[in-house]
Amino acid sequence: MGTPVGATTAHYSRANPAGFEGKLFAVAISPDGSTIAAGGYTGYEWEKTYSIYLFDRESGRLIRRLVGLPDGVAHLVYSPDGQYLAATLGGKNGVRVFSTVAYAPAGEDKAYGDGSTGADFDRTGKLVTTSYDGFICLYATSVNGSLRLVAKTKVKGGQRPYDVKFSPDGTRVAVGFGDPSKVAVLQASDLAPLFAPDTTGVNRFSLNSVAWSADSGTLYAGGIFNGANATQFIRAWADGGRGGYRDIAAAAGGGLISHILPLRDGGIIYGAANPAFGLIDARDRRQLFTTAAIANYMGLGQGLLLSPDGTGVGFAHKMLGQSPARFSLADRKLDTAPAGGLNWLPPKTEDSNIRVTDLVQTFTPKINGTALKLVQYEWSRNLALAPDRSAFLLGTMFYLRLFDRSGAERWKVEGPGDAWAVNVSSDGKLAVATFDDGTIRWYRMTDGKLLLSFFPHADRKRWVLWTPSGYYDASPGAEELIGWHVNNGKDQAADFFPVGQFRPTYDRPDVISKILETGDEAEAVRLADDERGHKSQASTVAQMLPPVVEIASPADNSEVSASQVTIRYSLRTPSGEPVTNVRALVDGRPVTGNRQLTREDVSTSGVRELKLSVPERDSEVSIIAENRFAASVPATIRLRWHGSAPTNEAFAIQPKLYVLAIGVSQYQNPSYSLKFAAKDAKDFAAAAATQKGFLYRDVVVKVLTNDQATKDNVLNGLDWIRKETTSKDVAMVFFAGHGLNDQNGVYYFLPYNTDLEKLLRTGVPFTDIKNTVQSLAGKTLFFIDTCHSGNVLGGRRGLADDLNGVINELASAESGAVVFAASTGNQYSLEDAKWNNGAFTKALVEGFTGRADYSGKGRITINMLDLYISERVKELTGGKQTPTTAKPNTVPDFPIAIKR
């Protein structure tokens, strides 16, 4: 099961956890821009050696592997002329040089006392390296790439040289150290010491990464150098390091600045281990900063709070406990409010009989004066005592470990990265840890068995929960955040399949709800299956893998000048299952007249062709292939229109808007009744009708409310909008009323004449809604507000009407709808007489009729409406209701209304 990947701040030997397999620590691009080299801890589980992978930059295709390396790759660098690629290795394995003519081994030096972390070439082919054994080495390269050691030296006061760079003029070498506040400049010819730049104020911090400006006039260094408010700084010295310095605000988040490169016109670009990267111009202004979309738990420590039973977790999205949040497994709501005041508890860290010292960022934590046994380079981070004080949980850089009070280890489990905070539930059954890949994970306290993982996205909206076997629950739009990486052998790039491709089998919120209670995944599955009346599907992921589509031409971002385009694509079938259908989409919607390919058509090998009509504007084309289990991840290209401008006649052909609005307030069974659902449908339809003659040449509305909204009429309405909407039109479907899931997890909208004892005959099943949405030819928006409280649920509130799965399926690429939902998880949709509507419809109508025009240009787009509804509903309900919008990646943002 793949997870969101964080970054690690250093490089370690192969003796470290097997969980490092697949992690990349180094990347380099050839000077001509054609090849990308990547390396790290890759291939050891297969071959007991490590590899460097070479990719074609333009296509992303794996070209070849460089094999047989004795340890992981810490750093990669090409020579300026592109003739050589150097790789520094972990352990005591030194440096390797490859000739790029055939990427054959050319030179090496194995006489290192520790891992090598830095390397650089100058314009003449000289190579300089650093090693944690304290030495800097200078080599001359011969014509065939072999190495001759020219000089080898240690710098006074520097024990751990990390990074090294030649000045562009070739006269000096700068060295950054892992030691506090150490930077050195050496003579490039023989590594003789020249001077040490001024590091006043750096103190206990390190400046491990170095770079020269393109003209050699400025020396830069960065690493762990934080100022006020944990702002990261890069120090810049004038006069090539001899002159005065200035400190440039760089990255927020506290991550190690691990690499700095100069820009040709001045300024630098840098990478940080948050992970993040940024660009600073020649005037020291930050022009770009991009960080990973994960929570940063660094420094969270005591801020990791747990509900008494351990199923609720309080944390923070930013380092040092900033931007607090909480999540409860019971209500599936990611809340930006802090957990304080909920009786949720921080970890217990002190006891008179268990005294842990030298804990934070040391290799030798001690219990009652006795050192705990850790592996080499394993920094300890934090601890949490068990409620009965019989044991304590230790989070480290590599592992989560449980020790008894005497210091004897009970168990250890590999973490996906640094364990920044740990806690133990009040009943002593669950161990919880936050990791630097952005996940929070629950473990069984008795033996360390992983039970459940949680990933809260940095957008503060999306989240996903999953078990080790892959059963999951996800908020709308979050299914793409995790999935399976499937290897295709040693010399082929892996495939990634988002978990949503396996939705029918693995979307199991019922299993997720039972996993922590039972403490056993198999038991949780058994109980959930018993409740819904049938066993889980026995097929494996390998059997259910969808096809893989690759578009050969046109290339992404190609210019087109004709409305007819030929798409050439290829298919692979990793599972061996035959492809049953191939579909083409333009801007996320089916192409009109696209022929359904037969089994014979799609199962043949080789490159295939589809001729499509595209609009006379910029557009996106996607190809989706299906087998009996699943649809492929869409292969998508962007096409830029470069033909003649559309004629005035073409401009005059505006789309039609078709609206189907259904709302049920008064049910045949009066105990189900609501207040404003019917009015909500009427008000939305009326707001849409005002767009006639503006964005749409016509607006055609069908409204079904109360006793009009019988099952037959609702189905007829779906059939009506399917038949009327053409590829040039826009369709909007609005549902307000009650909805629920039956014991098999099938969602039903409840029309006026619903009888819960005969739900199959009287309810509108999700399959009918989905089939309509998938078959609509035009752009499709679906508005759903069916999570109302009331006796229809028998007074219970749980997963019975959790819409997350429904929203994700409607917003999948194969369905192609933009879905606006009134609430998420197990929340109620609220309505109030003072609004004269439900909160969702109140915000929707306001935004649609003009208030969502954030740009001030008079046009309201999907994204603008999403933002307005989200903020307005939270305002109306005091944060009790959280609407959401899910949009397929294949559908670009587009205008849906004109401000009136």
Side-chain angles (χ1 to χ4, degrees):
M1 189 74 174
T3 66
V5 178
T8 306
T9 59
H11 179 70
Y12 311 99
S13 74
R14 67 182 176 196
N16 284 305
F20 270 48
E21 176 66 49
K23 290 190 176 182
L24 299 177
F25 292 97
V27 65
I29 187 167
S30 60
D32 65 3
S34 65
T35 304
I36 294 175
Y41 277 82
T42 55
Y44 186 77
E45 289 186 3
W46 280 339
E47 300 174 322
K48 305 306 178 187
T49 59
Y50 296 87
S51 302
I52 297 170
Y53 295 82
L54 303 177
F55 296 88
D56 175 68
R57 179 199 55 80
E58 185 173 8
S59 67
R61 182 174 54 88
L62 178 61
I63 302 170
R64 63 180 301 171
R65 287 188 307 137
L66 309 181
V67 301
L69 298 175
D71 212 311
V73 177
H75 188 76
L76 290 165
V77 62
Y78 278 95
S79 60
D81 59 9
Q83 293 187 39
Y84 306 115
L85 172 67
T88 65
L89 307 179
K92 300 179 180 180
N93 295 286
V95 62
R96 303 291 187 276
V97 174
F98 300 86
S99 168
T100 59
V101 175
Y103 281 98
E108 63 181 27
D109 184 356
K110 301 178 182 179
Y112 280 54
D114 207 335
S116 178
T117 55
D120 195 31
F121 284 100
D122 75 356
R123 290 174 297 180
T124 68
K126 286 188 295 186
L127 175 68
V128 63
T129 66
T130 58
S131 171
Y132 262 32
D133 63 8
F135 284 101
I136 300 103
C137 296
L138 178 67
Y139 302 92
T141 55
S142 64
V143 174
N144 64 3
S146 61
L147 298 179
R148 177 175 60 85
L149 184 64
V150 174
K152 185 175 182 178
T153 189
K154 285 189 175 182
V155 172
K156 185 177 179 180
Q159 300 299 313
R160 294 180 296 161
Y162 181 87
D163 190 23
V164 61
K165 296 286 174 57
F166 281 106
S167 61
D169 61 14
T171 63
R172 288 156 292 168
V173 169
V175 183
F177 290 79
D179 305 281
S181 68
K182 185 66 180 177
V183 177
V185 177
L186 313 178
Q187 192 163 281
S189 60
D190 58 3
L191 300 183
L194 291 176
F195 57 90
D198 185 353
T199 57
T200 301
V202 179
N203 301 326
R204 63 186 180 88
F205 298 109
S206 66
L207 296 171
N208 48 270
S209 299
V210 293
W212 300 87
S213 62
D215 63 2
S216 301
T218 302
L219 176 63
Y220 297 92
I224 297 292
F225 176 28
N226 296 337
N229 302 317
T231 300
Q232 201 82 15
F233 288 99
I234 293 175
R235 180 157 289 189
W237 294 271
D239 193 19
R242 293 182 183 272
Y245 65 82
R246 60 193 188 275
D247 291 332
I248 307 166
L256 174 86
I257 291 178
S258 54
H259 202 190
I260 308 173
L261 292 172
L263 299 173
R264 185 178 301 169
D265 298 328
I268 54 173
I269 189 166
Y270 62 93
N274 298 40
F277 67 90
L279 186 151
I280 294 172
D281 67 17
R283 296 184 180 182
D284 296 344
R285 298 173 301 188
R286 195 171 72 188
Q287 298 296 323
L288 172 70
F289 179 70
T290 299
T291 189
I294 62 176
N296 185 346
Y297 304 124
M298 186 185 297
L300 180 62
Q302 293 287 101
L304 176 59
L305 307 180
L306 292 182
S307 62
D309 63 358
T311 62
V313 59
F315 58 99
H317 282 281
K318 295 182 179 180
M319 67 176 295
L320 302 179
Q322 300 177 78
S323 188
R326 65 178 187 239
F327 183 84
S328 170
L329 197 64
D331 60 21
R332 301 293 207 277
K333 180 183 178 184
L334 180 58
D335 201 324
T336 55
L342 294 179
N343 197 31
W344 293 10
L345 300 175
K348 302 298 184 184
T349 59
E350 296 181 359
D351 182 81
S352 58
N353 297 316
I354 301 178
R355 187 171 59 90
V356 180
T357 57
D358 300 323
L359 174 67
V360 180
Q361 294 192 184
T362 71
F363 300 134
T364 55
K366 299 178 178 66
I367 177 171
N368 299 330
T370 301
L372 298 172
K373 194 172 183 179
L374 307 181
V375 301
Q376 187 181 25
Y377 298 132
E378 184 183 6
W379 277 6
S380 67
R381 297 296 192 192
N382 43 70
L383 68 83
L385 300 174
D388 62 4
R389 306 301 192 265
S390 64
F392 64 93
L393 193 67
L394 184 71
T396 78
M397 194 172 235
F398 300 147
Y399 293 102
L400 193 63
R401 298 175 181 266
L402 186 71
F403 294 93
D404 67 20
R405 61 190 305 149
S406 70
E409 186 173 85
R410 290 185 181 177
W411 53 256
K412 69 177 181 182
V413 293
E414 295 172 6
D418 285 74
W420 287 115
V422 296
N423 204 342
V424 180
S425 61
S426 296
D427 59 11
K429 294 181 179 180
L430 298 171
V432 182
T434 65
F435 293 98
D436 71 355
D437 67 343
T439 62
I440 299 174
R441 302 184 184 225
W442 285 262
Y443 298 83
R444 195 162 58 197
M445 193 68 169
T446 54
D447 58 3
K449 176 74 173 178
L450 176 63
L451 298 175
L452 188 65
S453 301
F454 170 58
F455 178 71
H457 194 275
D459 62 13
R460 315 307 199 261
K461 295 180 180 179
R462 290 179 290 166
W463 55 264
V464 59
L465 291 156
W466 71 98
T467 70
S469 296
Y471 297 111
Y472 74 94
D473 186 16
S475 67
E479 288 181 325
E480 65 187 40
L481 299 178
I482 63 169
W484 277 271
H485 281 281
V486 178
N487 286 322
N488 293 314
K490 301 174 184 178
D491 298 304
Q492 301 273 350
D495 292 317
F496 177 73
F497 299 98
V499 72
Q501 309 306 115
F502 311 93
R503 188 181 303 109
T505 299
Y506 286 101
D507 183 12
R508 294 294 302 274
D510 53 346
V511 172
I512 298 297
S513 293
K514 301 179 188 307
I515 186 73
L516 297 186
E517 176 186 350
T518 62
D520 182 85
E521 183 180 11
E523 179 65 6
V525 173
R526 186 189 69 79
L527 291 175
D529 285 350
D530 286 348
E531 285 187 4
R532 69 178 191 167
H534 63 85
K535 289 187 176 181
S536 301
Q537 186 172 330
S539 301
T540 66
V541 169
Q543 293 171 316
M544 295 187 294
L545 291 176
V548 177
V549 184
E550 296 177 348
I551 295 178
S553 67
D556 190 29
N557 271 322
S558 291
E559 292 183 347
V560 294
S561 55
S563 59
Q564 289 291 315
V565 176
T566 299
I567 307 295
R568 302 178 73 246
Y569 66 96
S570 61
L571 289 177
R572 286 189 290 112
T573 56
S575 65
E577 283 285 333
V579 177
T580 57
N581 186 32
V582 175
R583 287 189 287 155
L585 311 176
V586 173
D587 291 335
R589 299 308 302 163
V591 175
T592 303
N594 182 32
R595 179 173 68 94
Q596 298 294 306
L597 279 73
T598 66
R599 182 180 293 267
E600 290 72 24
D601 288 327
V602 298
S603 61
T604 56
S605 60
V607 176
R608 300 156 176 81
E609 290 187 356
L610 279 175
K611 296 184 183 298
L612 306 176
S613 295
V614 296
E616 295 180 358
R617 54 174 171 77
D618 295 351
S619 60
E620 294 184 2
V621 173
S622 303
I623 305 293
I624 297 176
E626 300 171 352
N627 62 26
R628 67 188 178 107
F629 288 113
S632 70
V633 176
T636 301
I637 57 171
R638 289 156 292 186
L639 299 178
R640 292 184 290 120
W641 180 253
H642 198 61
S644 58
T647 63
N648 290 335
E649 180 182 358
F651 270 124
I653 303 177
Q654 294 174 295
K656 273 188 177 182
L657 172 61
Y658 290 92
V659 177
L660 174 64
I662 299 170
V664 185
S665 294
Q666 304 302 319
Y667 281 85
Q668 194 172 60
N669 184 335
S671 65
Y672 302 167
S673 294
L674 299 167
K675 293 181 179 179
F676 294 108
K679 184 176 184 299
D680 286 346
K682 293 176 182 177
D683 288 354
F684 173 71
T690 65
Q691 290 293 311
K692 180 177 180 179
F694 290 86
L695 191 61
Y696 307 101
R697 74 177 188 273
D698 194 9
V699 178
V700 184
V701 172
K702 182 182 285 291
V703 180
L704 300 173
T705 59
N706 296 330
D707 59 356
Q708 299 172 325
T710 62
K711 177 177 180 177
D712 285 345
N713 285 345
V714 171
L715 293 178
N716 288 337
L718 292 171
D719 190 50
W720 165 79
I721 199 167
R722 177 185 62 81
K723 290 178 178 177
E724 294 294 323
T725 306
T726 73
S727 61
K728 293 180 172 59
D729 299 325
V730 176
M732 296 183 184
V733 179
F734 180 97
F735 274 52
H738 283 299
L740 58 78
N741 293 71
D742 69 8
Q743 66 177 13
N744 295 317
V746 177
Y747 173 82
Y748 286 83
F749 174 73
L750 305 189
Y752 166 77
N753 57 332
T754 297
D755 182 346
L756 291 184
E757 299 301 319
K758 302 174 183 177
L759 187 59
L760 184 63
R761 286 197 290 135
T762 61
V764 177
F766 173 64
T767 51
D768 288 336
I769 299 170
K770 185 181 100 171
N771 290 340
T772 298
V773 168
Q774 282 186 331
S775 61
L776 286 167
K779 295 175 180 176
T780 302
L781 282 73
F782 190 87
F783 302 89
I784 185 165
D785 187 3
T786 63
C787 287
H788 295 278
S789 62
N791 291 333
V792 67
L793 300 178
R796 60 192 169 87
R797 182 70 180 164
L799 294 172
D801 56 345
D802 186 345
L803 272 175
N804 289 342
V806 170
I807 296 168
N808 281 325
E809 190 153 358
L810 287 175
S812 64
E814 55 268 31
S815 294
V818 180
V819 182
F820 291 81
S823 55
T824 58
N826 295 332
Q827 292 179 334
Y828 286 128
S829 292
L830 303 179
E831 47 183 14
D832 197 300
K834 66 183 178 183
W835 308 326
N836 206 26
N837 281 115
F840 174 70
T841 302
K842 175 75 171 176
L844 169 60
V845 170
E846 287 178 353
F848 193 82
T849 54
R851 292 195 186 180
D853 178 23
Y854 288 105
S855 69
K857 297 180 180 179
R859 290 200 168 197
I860 297 159
T861 69
I862 292 170
N863 292 345
M864 293 177 188
L865 186 61
D866 171 29
L867 177 60
Y868 182 81
I869 292 174
S870 176
E871 295 303 317
R872 181 62 168 145
V873 169
K874 284 191 284 187
E875 177 188 346
L876 289 170
T877 65
K880 295 178 181 179
Q881 182 176 332
T882 310
T884 190
T885 302
K887 181 170 72 68
N889 291 332
T890 53
V891 177
D893 191 25
F894 62 90
I896 56 175
I898 297 291
K899 182 176 181 179
R900 294 298 312 276

